Amino acid sequence: MKQTLGPIRKYWPQYEWSNVFAMIRNMSTAPDTCEQDFRDRLVVITGATSGIGYHTARKYASRGARLLTVNRNGEKAQALCEEIQSDFGASCDYILADLSRLEDIHGAGRALAALAEPIAVLIHNAGLYLSRRTVTEDGLETNFAVHFLAPFVINHLLREKLQRDRQGRILFVSSEGYRFAVWGLRLDDLQWEKRRHGGLRAYGAAKTAQILTMHILAEELAESDVTVNAMHPGMVRTSSGRENARTYRWFKQHIIDNLSQQADISAEALYYLGVSPALKDVTGRFFHLTREEALTPPARDRDVAARLWQISLELGRLQR
């Protein structure tokens, strides 16, 4: 009978300090830039009304791209499109969806799948940070639902379209925070019902889940010339964390934000990753801005990725 190693015994021998040092070096490295235009190509961005998504939408629009954003606030989505059209003369439209609700996630995925034109770049950017455990109306831990399950379901619903169109780049706005899942995922407790919830641990687990299933999706779409990559957007100033308690909000405003850069650095990196010819055939990788990094052992565990994929099909109501 095969003995199963615990996560510490399994992963600890695989960790390498050189990967940590590489991450530290990359924190002070500016992203590569791409000067190529992207005129009349369709770019889809989730969570585009503020922070990284907002700056990324403006960056792509400034280079002639046509924008389709997925947002939960209709007023902000309309204001963004009016701004984009006024400042750049670019086409902009939006889909309304709350990406913590499975019904809305499926609706957004079906709407994107029904598009006649190819999606040149799909950027999964929508996110949040919660220091306390909250549960969605579908009974899912919110970090898990928004950061992982929403893009998983949307990608799954888009697979036939992407394979038919035979083009496109999918980018996950991930995070070095995936490293907080030091010993990997608990597949028997993805919703943090059996363990004490911690904001950083739950965030890291959701981002690790995102990266794990990226490997499988990248392989499935490789023959269609569709690439799938994840990136850390740098330590940048965003509006995330407003839902948390006063202590965290104070810490973010006075400490984290003072150490952070403007979000346009992330937009430069996302434009490069989405447009640069140098990355035409690069798939299944993780980038710190535009520098490729080796992943931690739990984030490259294909056995866990395969089991997570099957669990996620059920959680995402994708099984027929």
Side-chain angles (χ1 to χ4, degrees), residues 65-86:
R66 299 178 58 248
L67 292 180
L68 177 58
T69 67
V70 181
N71 308 291
R72 63 179 178 177
N73 186 303
E75 281 188 23
K76 291 182 179 180
Q78 182 62 36
L80 171 67
C81 280
E82 291 174 358
E83 177 183 323
I84 291 292
Q85 291 161 351
S86 174

Side-chain angles (χ1 to χ4, degrees), residues 16-29 176 179 288 291-294:
E16 298 179 13
W17 281 106
S18 59
N19 294 342
V20 177
F21 296 143
M23 176 194 71
I24 294 171
R25 288 195 303 272
N26 289 336
M27 291 173 67
S28 59
T29 304
E176 293 285 8
R179 296 173 184 268
H288 186 122
R291 296 288 185 273
E292 186 179 343
E293 283 186 356

Side-chain angles (χ1 to χ4, degrees), residues 170-182:
I170 299 173
L171 297 173
F172 295 102
V173 178
S174 185
S175 172
E176 293 285 8
Y178 85 91
R179 296 173 184 268
F180 287 111
V182 180

